Amino acid sequence: MASSNLSDAQLSSSESAPVSTITLLTMFRLGLYQMGLGMMSVLALGVMNRVMIGNLAIPATIAAGAIAMHQFVAPARVWFGQRSDSRPILGYHRTGYIWIGTVIFAIASYVALQVMWQLGSAERGSEFYGWVGVLGLTFAIYGLALSAGSTPFAALLVDVSDEGNRSKLVGVVWSMLMVGIVIGAILISVLLKQVTNDTPVAVMQASINRVFVIVPAIVVGLAVVATAGMEKKYSLYRLRSTVRDREDKITFGRALRVLTASRQTGIFFTFLLVMTISLFMQDAILEPYGAKVFNMEFSKTTLLNAFWGTGTLIGISTTGFLIAPRLGKKNTAKLGCLLVAACFILLILAGFTANETVLKTGVFLFGLCSGVVTTGALSLMLDLTAAETAGTFIGAWGLSQAMARALATVAGGTVLDLGTKLFSAPVLAYGLVFAVQACGMILAVYLLSRVDVAEFQANAKQAIASVMQGELD
């Protein structure tokens, strides 16, 4: 629900800096990759978690923990980012990683589904927990492949853009992510329309298996269309390099030294963790919330992703053109955090009405406010990335977000299980999750107030200069 970053200031430090020539149509073409990732996210968090918790009666903590494994392997993002900076595949720094990663995570998603069916039919005991381990391992492989593809893709966005069009590119590409979530939710809802709460598991299995073949195949196709020829035609990566044979100069260790040169990196890293955990704890429980409290059918709970995605898409677009230019990046992110906290309170109140329309309205508004905070945070990321180690920085921000998403998924399931033990009414159990999220958003506002972009840029520039001179050996 999802990052790419580079400091405009770092790339514009010289009047002779190379200029990007990508057009708006090219931006939308690149966005097809993100659209595919949006569709894939609906499969894991909109379908598999609903089936495990709502239909197979697997405890929410176990279901959420298994799914979250694909985000717990997020440290690999930093490594894949640095590898794509320094070790091209077939002459290209980004494209090969993107294609290989996409094919592997598409296959892994189908394998994870088959393991889920085995887990659902297993008796509680050694066999059951054995399948839990296999499911977690499969999702870890899925996550590694996702890191291998998505981190170099984010770096590719940096490579093909400059200060004049980068903000527009980020807005277009991340809007396409939301479009993918909406399209994925609608497509999956249509494909699973015949599945109801009373559908036998065997019949449900056949229908969902078909979805996990069709959607990943579409995603692989989108990845190829989005990136084929892009790097060769538009990448400015080598032109921006200030050292000959740079891939032999900036090692992984040196890149990490640049990454840790400013305390602001740590502050922003912590902000991202808290903000993302607070934003996404409901990932694993929103569809079950609709099923348990509002008695919604399978296809209707899947469509909640469409309401969220539509709201987020509008929020990102509106914020980029109207709010951020007036309030500034930091204040925009603060406003977004406060609005999201208010939306969590609204989602709790919606549960007491048991009215689907009220829930859908709350989810739409939550998406809208998520768009505000996402735009503010992404804009800050652009200023908190060092040009010479873009892949490493993007990997670091991706690490922060992915680890937070993993912790959020597990925390959401764990708090739900705790709420179920504390309260007999499902609305209170689910409401506890939303209340914790609201408190987290308030904490994120405090952390954000300590972020200083100017301090980061000064420290990072000095560290990069030292690396280039070999002083960090």
Side-chain angles (χ1 to χ4, degrees):
M1 356 182 207
S3 31
S4 166
N5 338 302
L6 186 67
S7 168
D8 293 349
Q10 296 293 338
L11 286 185
S12 60
S13 59
S14 170
E15 292 182 1
S16 61
V19 178
S20 168
T21 59
I22 59 171
T23 63
L24 186 60
L25 181 62
T26 303
M27 294 180 188
F28 277 103
R29 182 182 159 196
L30 283 166
L32 293 175
Y33 178 81
Q34 285 289 84
M35 188 170 83
L37 294 188
M39 296 172 69
M40 288 300 296
S41 71
V42 179
L43 288 183
L45 294 168
V47 177
M48 288 189 69
N49 76 295
R50 160 67 198 263
V51 173
M52 284 193 281
I53 298 173
N55 299 90
L56 300 180
I58 296 172
T61 302
I62 291 176
I67 292 175
M69 282 304 300
H70 84 278
Q71 292 155 331
F72 276 124
V73 296
R77 289 175 180 263
V78 179
W79 187 80
F80 281 119
Q82 191 273 338
R83 291 292 292 184
S84 72
D85 278 343
S86 61
R87 294 291 182 267
I89 295 177
L90 298 178
Y92 295 102
H93 283 273
R94 318 299 185 190
T95 309
Y97 290 92
I98 294 169
W99 288 4
I100 293 171
T102 302
V103 170
I104 294 176
F105 75 63
I107 295 171
S109 67
Y110 184 81
V111 174
L113 180 70
Q114 305 314 307
V115 175
M116 182 196 75
W117 297 125
Q118 296 297 322
L119 175 62
S121 62
E123 296 290 336
R124 294 297 169 88
S126 58
E127 181 186 3
F128 177 83
Y129 290 105
W131 282 116
V132 170
V134 175
L135 184 60
L137 176 62
T138 307
F139 268 110
I141 294 172
Y142 173 88
L144 288 172
L146 190 62
S147 297
S150 61
T151 302
F153 174 77
L156 177 63
L157 297 184
V158 172
D159 297 342
V160 303
S161 62
D162 58 32
E163 68 167 321
N165 59 21
R166 188 168 302 117
S167 295
K168 183 184 294 184
L169 175 62
V170 169
V172 168
V173 170
W174 261 260
S175 293
M176 292 289 279
L177 176 69
M178 297 304 113
V179 170
I181 291 174
V182 173
I183 292 176
I186 294 173
L187 174 61
I188 293 169
S189 179
V190 171
L191 292 174
L192 297 179
K193 194 171 184 63
Q194 74 278 15
V195 177
T196 68
N197 292 335
D198 300 321
T199 299
V201 172
V203 177
M204 180 187 300
Q205 182 173 340
S207 297
I208 295 178
N209 280 348
R210 183 165 64 103
V211 170
F212 273 69
V213 171
I214 294 173
V215 175
I218 292 173
V219 171
V220 171
L222 289 173
V224 173
V225 172
T227 58
M230 284 287 182
E231 189 169 358
K232 181 178 181 180
K233 185 174 182 180
Y234 297 107
S235 178
L236 302 173
Y237 178 80
R238 289 193 175 276
L239 295 177
R240 288 169 175 159
S241 177
T242 57
V243 175
R244 182 178 300 175
D245 298 326
R246 173 185 147 194
E247 54 265 32
D248 295 326
K249 300 295 183 183
I250 300 185
T251 64
F252 186 49
R254 287 176 172 179
L256 291 179
R257 292 289 295 272
V258 176
L259 183 64
T260 56
S262 173
R263 72 186 186 96
Q264 288 297 321
T265 304
I267 295 173
F268 190 68
F269 191 95
T270 306
F271 159 73
L272 280 181
L273 278 173
V274 174
M275 183 272 288
T276 308
I277 290 172
S278 304
L279 192 62
F280 291 106
M281 273 180 66
Q282 89 295 328
D283 259 359
I285 62 101
L286 185 59
E287 286 82 3
Y289 183 50
K292 294 289 186 181
V293 177
F294 297 84
N295 198 32
M296 298 170 68
E297 296 291 349
F298 203 109
S299 60
K300 291 184 178 180
T301 58
T302 301
L303 273 177
L304 290 175
N305 290 280
F307 285 96
W308 179 85
T310 301
T312 305
L313 179 60
I314 295 173
I316 289 176
S317 303
T318 303
T319 303
F321 286 98
L322 299 178
I323 300 177
R326 290 171 172 78
L327 296 183
K329 302 166 186 175
K330 194 168 166 182
N331 288 332
T332 297
K334 285 183 179 180
L335 174 64
C337 289
L338 294 173
L339 291 176
V340 167
C343 286
F344 287 135
I345 304 303
L346 179 60
L347 288 175
I348 295 173
L349 297 176
F352 290 99
T353 69
N355 186 300
E356 285 185 28
T357 302
V358 177
L359 175 63
K360 291 174 182 176
T361 301
V363 171
F364 172 79
L365 291 175
F366 168 55
L368 194 69
C369 298
S370 297
V372 177
V373 71
T374 298
T375 302
L378 280 174
S379 298
L380 280 174
M381 283 182 198
L382 291 173
D383 293 336
L384 290 165
T385 297
E388 293 294 335
T389 51
T392 305
F393 268 87
I394 287 167
W397 302 142
L399 164 63
S400 175
Q401 291 185 307
M403 289 299 291
R405 290 289 295 269
L407 292 171
T409 303
V410 174
T414 302
V415 174
L416 175 59
D417 283 343
L418 176 63
T420 302
K421 293 179 180 179
L422 294 176
F423 308 108
S424 58
V427 65
L428 295 178
Y430 285 92
L432 180 62
V433 179
F434 298 130
V436 171
Q437 289 180 271
C439 293
M441 278 295 172
I442 303 302
L443 176 59
V445 172
Y446 165 73
L447 291 170
L448 188 56
S449 66
R450 300 179 60 201
V451 172
D452 186 336
V453 175
E455 178 185 329
F456 165 84
Q457 291 179 338
N459 291 351
K461 184 176 181 180
Q462 182 178 8
I464 291 169
S466 298
V467 168
M468 295 309 175
Q469 294 167 10
E471 293 177 3
L472 295 184
D473 284 334

